[in-house]
């Protein structure tokens, strides 16, 4: 798997197992405008927990529950800042070396490191990994089983020889990835258990503006944002005639997402072959919504309802006008005709002096 700078900027792919993970991403860059030369991001279960960059030179917590670390280790963030700061020059030197090896000295260059561990809390199994990349391509990685380095590119062979000969460093890295890293991971999971274990399922709706518009599968109210939402046909995920939207935040700390399906070329008899699938990381069962006209909420219905309401309101107005006009005409007629004997007597009695 290639290590890309965007991996921690746009999110991590969905993980369907109950395995917990601790990952660190280091990115050193050269001639990237408006971007720090060195950025470090730490993540637990794909949730960012710590951030550092060469502009601020300060490691900061990205989750409130990470501040609990200070209770057990008051110097944690200061020590982390010093570690990251001390590696800045090493990263810059590595970029300069790799520029020479790849014979590309000008332009933008990116040096990346990804390392961490995974822990299955049910089986109590741990697994570590460490990979290096350059300009978006794999450069070298550590095989913890053989305690040797794998170099997929010729330019990395010199580094492989050097690091294979450093047995003490390799032994330390194996100990870190199989013992130290899982120890910290378990501690982080304990700190943020309430947040990390939170799973909110969404409400899923099918929406459509007009009969010829795409059908939108809209999921809202889910948490966390490690999800996938897609259309499929006959159980196979669709990539054509599909437009997937971004994950957006709601006001209540949950998220929403939508994916459109173009239906103009789909025969009515084939609709039953399509469905929308929502998948949430750590949740076994998917939410499946069939493509069914009876389930689609459309503006056409809303327009009909509005038309009916307008018609009824118009009828009420007309009736009111008729009533008012009728009353006015009646009054004019009543005033013009002479009073009846009964009416005349009542008026006269009102005019008599009281006893």
């Amino acid at each position: 798997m290639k290590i890309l700078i965007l991996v921690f900027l746009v999110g991590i792919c969905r993980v369907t197992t109950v395995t917990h993970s601790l990952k660190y991403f280091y990115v050193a860059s050269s001639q990237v405008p408006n971007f720090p030369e060195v950025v470090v991001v730490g993540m637990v279960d794909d949730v960012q927990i710590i951030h550092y960059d060469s502009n601020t030179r300060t490691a900061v917590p990205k989750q409130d529950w990470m501040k609990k670390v200070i209770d057990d280790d008051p110097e944690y963030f200061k020590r982390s800042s010093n570690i990251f700061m001390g590696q800045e020059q090493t990263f810059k030197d590595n970029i300069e070396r790799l520029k020479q090896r790849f014979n590309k000295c000008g332009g933008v260059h990116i040096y990346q490191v990804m390392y961490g561990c995974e822990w299955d809390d049910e089986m109590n199994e741990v697994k570590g990994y460490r990979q290096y990349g350059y300009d978006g391509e794999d450069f070298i990685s550590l095989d913890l089983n053989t305690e040797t380095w794998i170099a997929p590119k010729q330019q990395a062979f010199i580094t492989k020889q050097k690091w294979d000969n450093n047995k003490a460093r390799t032994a330390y890295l194996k100990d870190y990835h199989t013992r130290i890293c899982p120890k910290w991971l378990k501690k982080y999971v304990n700190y943020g258990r309430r947040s990390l274990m939170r799973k909110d399922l969404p409400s899923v709706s099918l929406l459509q503006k007009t009969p010829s518009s795409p059908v939108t599968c809209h999921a809202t109210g889910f948490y966390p944002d490690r999800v996938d939402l897609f259309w499929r046909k006959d159980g196979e995920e669709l990539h054509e005639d599909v437009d997937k939207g971004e994950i957006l935040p709601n006001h209540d700390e949950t998220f929403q997402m939508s994916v459109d399906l173009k239906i103009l070329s789909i025969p009515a008899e084939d609709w039953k072959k399509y469905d929308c699938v929502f998948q949430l990381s750590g949740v076994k069962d998917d939410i499946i919504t069939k493509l069914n006209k009876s389930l689609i909420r459309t503006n056409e219905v809303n327009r009909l309802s509005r038309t009916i309401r307008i018609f009824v309101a118009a009828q009420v107005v007309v009736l009111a006008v008729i009533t008012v006009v009728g009353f006015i005409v009646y009054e004019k007629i009543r005033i013009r005709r002479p009073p009846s004997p009964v009416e005349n007597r009542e008026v006269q009695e009102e005019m008599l002096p009281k006893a």
Side-chain angles (χ1 to χ4, degrees):
M1 180 181 68
K2 295 179 179 179
I3 309 172
L4 301 176
I5 186 174
L6 294 178
V7 68
F8 64 86
L9 298 178
V10 300
I12 309 299
C13 295
R14 176 178 181 263
V15 179
T16 57
T17 66
V18 294
T19 302
H20 299 287
S21 64
L22 172 60
K23 303 174 184 177
Y24 287 96
F25 299 92
Y26 290 67
V27 177
S29 59
S30 172
Q31 299 186 33
V32 177
N34 303 318
F35 196 78
E37 288 186 305
V38 176
V39 175
V40 183
V41 172
M43 306 185 79
V44 171
D45 290 354
D46 299 335
V47 174
Q48 186 175 350
I49 62 168
I50 192 171
H51 177 273
Y52 170 93
D53 65 61
S54 54
N55 290 344
T56 63
R57 291 197 151 188
T58 303
V60 294
K62 300 302 289 184
Q63 303 294 327
D64 288 339
W65 50 263
M66 270 296 290
K67 297 175 183 177
K68 297 178 183 178
V69 177
I70 301 176
D71 296 336
D72 296 337
D73 187 354
E75 298 295 315
Y76 175 88
F77 287 103
K78 181 179 180 180
R79 188 172 63 253
S80 297
S81 298
N82 291 333
I83 293 173
F84 299 148
M85 195 183 308
Q87 294 175 330
E88 286 185 20
Q89 191 57 49
T90 300
F91 285 159
K92 295 176 183 179
D93 292 343
N94 286 341
I95 287 182
E96 293 304 316
R97 285 196 196 92
L98 294 180
K99 283 181 181 180
Q100 300 296 327
R101 289 194 199 176
F102 285 87
N103 197 25
K104 293 180 180 179
C105 295
V108 173
H109 295 281
I110 307 293
Y111 178 76
Q112 303 134 294
V113 183
M114 182 184 76
Y115 68 86
C117 57
E118 295 179 351
W119 162 55
D120 187 327
D121 60 355
E122 292 183 358
M123 304 299 294
N124 200 29
E125 296 177 348
V126 297
K127 181 176 66 174
Y129 44 85
R130 178 172 290 257
Q131 298 173 258
Y132 295 76
Y134 182 68
D135 285 352
E137 301 286 340
D138 290 342
F139 181 70
I140 195 170
S141 61
L142 176 61
D143 186 335
L144 288 170
N145 293 324
T146 63
E147 298 185 36
T148 58
W149 293 89
I150 300 173
K153 293 184 176 296
Q154 181 181 357
Q155 291 88 344
F157 191 69
I158 297 175
T159 303
K160 170 181 166 55
Q161 287 183 314
K162 180 180 179 181
W163 289 0
D164 278 345
N165 291 330
N166 192 341
K167 301 295 184 182
R169 178 174 180 268
T170 303
Y172 165 76
L173 291 177
K174 183 171 184 178
D175 180 64
Y176 170 81
H177 288 293
T178 58
R179 186 181 64 85
I180 300 175
C181 180
K183 178 181 176 181
W184 277 104
L185 172 56
K186 294 173 184 178
K187 185 176 293 190
Y188 295 142
V189 169
N190 185 54
Y191 288 144
R193 182 171 296 277
R194 182 175 180 181
S195 176
L196 294 171
M197 301 301 182
R198 176 184 167 189
K199 307 290 181 185
D200 292 349
L201 295 177
S203 61
V204 181
S205 304
L206 298 183
L207 312 174
Q208 189 179 33
K209 294 181 179 179
T210 68
S212 60
S213 300
V215 174
T216 299
C217 182
H218 182 253
T220 185
F222 58 83
Y223 186 92
D225 61 350
R226 301 189 301 279
V227 304
D228 200 3
L229 184 69
F230 57 90
W231 283 99
R232 68 182 183 182
K233 177 184 179 182
D234 293 330
E236 296 292 331
E237 182 176 353
L238 291 173
H239 299 285
E240 295 183 359
D241 296 328
V242 169
D243 185 16
K244 182 177 291 190
E246 297 180 356
I247 298 176
L248 302 174
N250 290 324
H251 62 85
D252 59 355
E253 297 185 352
T254 63
F255 298 91
Q256 61 173 292
M257 185 182 184
S258 62
V259 57
D260 295 344
L261 173 66
K262 298 177 183 178
I263 61 167
L264 281 179
S265 60
I266 302 177
E269 60 270 18
D270 287 345
W271 276 41
K272 59 185 178 181
K273 299 179 181 179
Y274 293 80
D275 52 39
C276 176
V277 181
F278 175 87
Q279 297 176 335
L280 178 63
S281 176
V283 176
K284 181 179 179 181
D285 296 328
D286 300 334
I287 297 178
I288 300 175
T289 307
K290 292 287 186 180
L291 180 59
N292 189 319
K293 285 190 176 182
S294 64
L295 300 178
I296 298 176
R297 296 162 58 187
T298 174
N299 285 349
E300 290 295 313
V301 175
N302 294 336
R303 276 198 289 270
L304 178 60
S305 299
R306 285 198 298 270
T307 301
I308 294 174
R309 289 197 298 270
I310 292 172
F311 175 77
V312 172
Q315 297 302 312
V316 171
V317 171
V318 170
L319 181 60
V321 171
I322 292 174
T323 302
V324 172
V325 171
F327 178 77
I328 293 173
V329 172
Y330 168 77
E331 284 295 312
K332 287 182 178 180
I333 294 174
R334 189 178 68 83
I335 292 171
R336 288 176 182 176
R337 66 183 177 86
S340 65
V342 176
E343 291 174 340
N344 189 43
R345 187 184 73 247
E346 290 176 347
V347 172
Q348 291 175 353
E349 288 177 352
E350 282 294 324
M351 296 176 66
L352 292 175
K354 298 182 182 293

